[in-house]
Amino acid sequence: MKILDQYILRRFLYNFFSSFFILIVIFIFQGIWLFIDDLAGKGLGMVIIGKFIFYFIPTLVDKVLPLTVLLSSILTFGTFAENYEFAAMKASGISLQRGMRSLIVFVLFLGLVTFFFANDVIPKSEQKMFNLRRNIAKVKPAAAITEGVFSDFEGTGQGMNIKVDKKYGEQDRFLDNVIIHKKTDQNINNTVIKAKAGELISSEESDIIQLVLKDGNYYEEIVKKDAQEKRKQPFAKSNFDTYTINIDISELNDQDLEEDQNITTNKMKNVGRLIKDIDSLRENNLEKVTAFSKNVVNRMGAFPVKAPIDTTTQKLELLKAKDTIQRDSIKSIDQFVSGLEQWEQIQVMKKALNEVSSIINTVDSKKDELQSRYKFYNSHILSLHQKYALALSCIILFFVGAPLGAIIRKGGLGLPMVVAIILFLTYYFIGVFAGNYAKEGNIHPAIGAWLPTMIMLPLGISLTRRATADKGLVGFGHFIDRIKSLFKKKEKEAEDQ
C-alpha cells in the first residue's frame, strides 16, 4: 500500500472510530430511557444492568453505522479539501477516485461485516435482551407490573393478571388502585379483586411473596354443574379491609437470567430462519384464506358447485324428459316473495337478514385476524431485505459523504455534522415511513426495505460526478448560459428583421 493510501485510510479510520464511539454513547443514553422503568429501583445489581446494556448495543448498529460512515467520510474529505490537500493530489495527477481507492476497499469490507452483524449478532442480541427482561420479571415480580395496563404476573404459579395505576416506594413495593383477574386451570378469568392500595412484601430468606391488598372488593363467578343453575349466573361478592395473597416463588430460586426462550419476533431471526418462516407463513395464510372463502361461499349458497354430468347420456335424458319438463314461471326474487303469505314474507326477510348479518360479522372478525397475519408475514419479508439493504447502505452513504465533503470543503464538527445529520434523518425517516407502509401492505415489503437506499444511490452518483469535475454542490451555470444564448438569438432575429 502506498504512503498516500495509508495516510487517507489512517485519517478516515480515526474519524470513523471517533464518530462511532461518540454516536453509540449518544444512542445508548437515548435508548436506555425506553427501559429505565424495567431496570431502575429493582435491586438488580450492576452486573445485570451491564449485561442488558451490552446486549442493547448491537441493536443500535443499524442506526449508528450508516450515520458513522456518512459523517466520517464528510469529515475526512472535507478536511482534505479545506487544507488544499486535494488540490495538491490533483496537481500531482491523482484523481478523486484514485484517492478513494483504499477507502473503497475498506467500505466494501465494512459492508460484509455489517451484513454479518445484521444476520447473526443483532438477532442474537435481540433474543438475549428480550429473554433477560422476561427473566428479570420472573425473579423480580414487581418488575412484571406495568402501570396502567394489565400485566401477566409471570413465574408466580398463581395464574393472574394485575393492573395498577401507580407504583412507588422502595423497589416499587407500594401499589395504588389494584385490579386483579385470577385465572382457573382452564385459563378463564372468573375472579376479580379490586383494592384501593396494595403492598408487595418479600424476604430473601422466604420463598413466599405476600401481596397485601387494602380496602377493596372481591367478586367470584360460581361455576355450577347443573345447567339450570348456570343460567342464573351465580356469583359471590365480599368487602375486605385487608386481603393477603401468598405467592410461592420457590420454583424461581434457580431461575437463570441467561435462559433462552423461543424466538418470537422477526428481529430475532437470521436470513435462513426468515426464509424458512416466510415460506411457511405464506402457505399457512393461503390455507386460512382458502378455507375461510369456502366456508363463506357454502354459507351463502350463492355459488353452488355443479356436479359433473355424463355427456354421453345427457342428450338422451333431455329428449326423454322433454314432454314432462315444466318451465319455472318465477323469474325474479320479488316475484317469488310476492307469491308468499305476509307472515311467510316476514320470516324469509328476517332469516335472510340474520344470515347476511352473521356473514358480515364473520367477515369483519376474520378480516382483523387476516390483517394481523399478513402484517406479521410482511414484517418477515421486510426484515429479510433490510439485512441486505443495511450492508449496501453503508457503501452508498460513503459515496454520498466522500464527494460531498470534497465539495463543501469544510472540516471539523460544524457544517459537516449538520449536513450529515440532515442527510441521515432524511434517509432514516424515509426508511421508517416506507417500513410502516410495507407492514400494512400498502407497498411491497422489498420496496419498503430498499427505498431509502435506492434514493441515496442516484444522489451518490451525482455528487461523485460533480466532485470529480470540480463542480459546486448546486450548479446553475448551464441554465444561465442557456438563457443568455436564448436572448442573444432573439436579439439577432430582431436585428435581421
Side-chain angles (χ1 to χ4, degrees):
M1 184 181 290
K2 294 185 178 180
I3 296 176
L4 179 62
D5 293 330
Q6 293 179 359
Y7 174 71
I8 294 175
L9 181 59
R10 186 167 59 250
R11 292 286 298 273
F12 179 82
L13 289 178
Y14 173 78
N15 290 326
F16 178 83
F17 288 110
S18 300
S19 302
F20 184 82
F21 177 76
I22 294 172
L23 291 172
I24 202 72
V25 171
I26 294 174
F27 275 82
I28 286 174
F29 280 106
Q30 183 271 336
I32 205 68
W33 290 108
L34 300 174
F35 311 106
I36 193 68
D37 290 338
D38 295 335
L39 302 176
K42 303 293 191 288
L44 300 177
M46 294 303 298
V47 175
I48 296 177
I49 295 176
K51 284 183 179 180
F52 186 87
I53 295 175
F54 178 74
Y55 295 145
F56 179 63
I57 289 175
T59 63
L60 301 174
V61 169
D62 60 336
K63 302 181 185 67
V64 174
L65 200 55
L67 178 57
T68 300
V69 172
L70 183 62
L71 178 60
S72 57
S73 57
I74 294 176
L75 287 174
T76 303
F77 286 85
T79 303
F80 286 159
E82 186 179 23
N83 296 334
Y84 299 101
E85 291 174 283
F86 264 135
M89 292 182 204
K90 292 179 181 178
S92 302
I94 300 174
S95 64
L96 176 65
Q97 289 82 353
R98 173 61 187 84
M100 295 167 58
R101 187 173 67 179
S102 61
L103 298 184
I104 291 174
V105 175
F106 171 76
V107 170
L108 291 175
F109 172 75
L110 181 64
L112 296 176
V113 174
T114 303
F115 177 75
F116 168 75
F117 256 82
N119 187 47
D120 295 317
V121 179
I122 295 179
K124 195 65 177 178
S125 297
E126 289 278 359
Q127 185 183 0
K128 287 287 187 181
M129 188 172 64
F130 173 82
N131 291 324
L132 186 62
R133 292 178 63 197
R134 186 184 184 93
N135 294 331
I136 285 173
K138 289 183 177 180
V139 177
K140 304 290 182 179
I145 303 174
T146 303
E147 294 180 352
V149 298
F150 279 99
S151 306
D152 288 329
F153 214 66
E154 298 191 50
T156 62
Q158 299 293 313
M160 62 184 182
N161 302 105
I162 272 191
K163 177 185 175 183
V164 300
D165 287 351
K166 184 180 178 182
K167 300 186 296 181
Y168 61 96
E170 182 183 359
Q171 297 186 5
D172 290 338
R173 58 183 293 189
F174 298 105
L175 314 173
D176 278 349
N177 293 328
V178 183
I179 300 177
I180 299 176
H181 289 175
K182 296 185 70 174
K183 301 177 183 178
T184 63
D185 295 337
Q186 292 76 30
N187 204 31
I188 299 174
N189 294 330
N190 69 335
T191 303
V192 178
I193 304 172
K194 294 184 177 181
K196 293 183 178 179
E199 181 182 0
L200 286 168
I201 302 175
S202 62
S203 173
E204 295 182 359
E205 293 80 16
S206 176
D207 292 334
I208 301 296
I209 290 180
Q210 289 186 333
L211 177 57
V212 181
L213 303 175
K214 300 177 180 179
D215 192 10
N217 301 290
Y218 183 99
Y219 308 89
E220 181 179 1
E221 293 183 8
I222 300 175
V223 180
K224 295 288 187 178
K225 295 183 179 180
D226 184 64
Q228 296 294 332
E229 294 295 329
K230 280 185 178 181
R231 293 178 184 177
K232 298 179 181 179
Q233 297 181 347
F235 71 95
K237 175 183 177 182
S238 63
N239 302 326
F240 58 83
D241 295 326
T242 302
Y243 181 75
T244 302
I245 301 176
N246 293 320
I247 304 170
D248 186 3
I249 60 169
S250 57
E251 297 179 359
L252 303 180
N253 289 336
D254 299 325
Q255 178 68 38
D256 182 13
L257 291 178
E258 296 295 323
E259 178 189 357
D260 287 339
Q261 307 290 334
N262 293 330
I263 298 175
T264 55
T265 67
N266 54 287
K267 293 183 179 179
M268 301 179 188
K269 301 174 183 178
N270 57 19
V271 169
R273 178 68 181 272
L274 283 171
I275 293 174
K276 179 181 177 181
D277 288 353
I278 287 170
D279 291 338
S280 61
L281 286 172
R282 179 174 60 249
E283 293 177 1
N284 185 260
N285 288 341
L286 289 176
E287 289 177 0
K288 291 286 184 181
V289 172
T290 303
F292 179 68
S293 301
K294 290 181 178 179
N295 181 35
V296 171
V297 169
N298 292 334
R299 289 179 60 183
M300 290 176 62
F303 309 101
V305 179
K306 293 183 178 180
I309 300 174
D310 188 356
T311 56
T312 58
T313 59
Q314 183 179 11
K315 292 183 178 179
L316 181 61
E317 291 177 356
L318 288 175
L319 290 173
K320 291 180 178 179
K322 185 175 181 181
D323 297 332
T324 59
I325 292 177
Q326 295 181 356
R327 298 296 178 183
D328 191 353
S329 60
I330 299 176
K331 297 181 179 180
S332 65
I333 296 176
D334 293 336
Q335 188 177 357
F336 167 73
V337 173
S338 61
L340 300 175
E341 297 291 338
Q342 185 175 4
W343 64 271
E344 291 177 326
Q345 293 180 9
I346 294 174
Q347 282 188 344
V348 169
M349 293 298 180
K350 283 185 177 180
K351 186 174 181 180
L353 181 62
N354 291 335
E355 288 291 334
V356 172
S357 300
S358 176
I359 292 174
I360 291 176
N361 292 333
T362 304
V363 171
D364 289 339
S365 61
K366 199 68 176 181
K367 178 183 176 182
D368 296 334
E369 179 189 345
L370 293 176
Q371 283 180 341
S372 63
R373 281 180 172 274
Y374 276 95
K375 185 175 181 180
F376 189 64
Y377 170 70
N378 290 335
S379 65
H380 277 65
I381 301 177
L382 183 67
S383 293
L384 175 64
H385 287 275
Q386 281 178 338
K387 295 182 187 301
Y388 296 103
L390 177 61
L392 186 61
S393 67
C394 294
I395 300 173
I396 292 177
L397 288 177
F398 169 76
F399 286 99
V400 173
L404 187 60
I407 291 172
I408 63 177
R409 298 179 182 180
K410 287 290 183 181
L413 296 176
L415 182 60
M417 177 66 81
V418 174
V419 174
I421 290 175
I422 292 174
L423 285 174
F424 175 75
L425 289 178
T426 304
Y427 165 84
Y428 179 73
F429 282 117
I430 290 174
V432 170
F433 284 112
N436 291 336
Y437 274 104
K439 290 178 182 177
E440 297 296 334
N442 297 320
I443 59 176
H444 194 276
I447 298 176
W450 287 100
L451 184 61
T453 305
M454 292 299 101
I455 289 177
M456 289 296 169
L457 178 59
L459 178 61
I461 295 173
S462 176
L463 289 174
T464 303
R465 293 178 62 182
R466 297 189 71 84
T468 304
D470 288 329
K471 294 182 179 180
L473 184 61
V474 180
F476 297 99
H478 61 287
F479 291 112
I480 297 174
D481 292 339
R482 284 190 177 185
I483 293 172
K484 287 182 178 180
S485 63
L486 182 63
F487 278 108
K488 287 180 180 180
K489 185 178 180 180
K490 288 185 177 181
E491 289 177 359
K492 187 177 180 180
E493 291 177 352
E495 289 177 358
D496 293 339
Q497 293 176 355

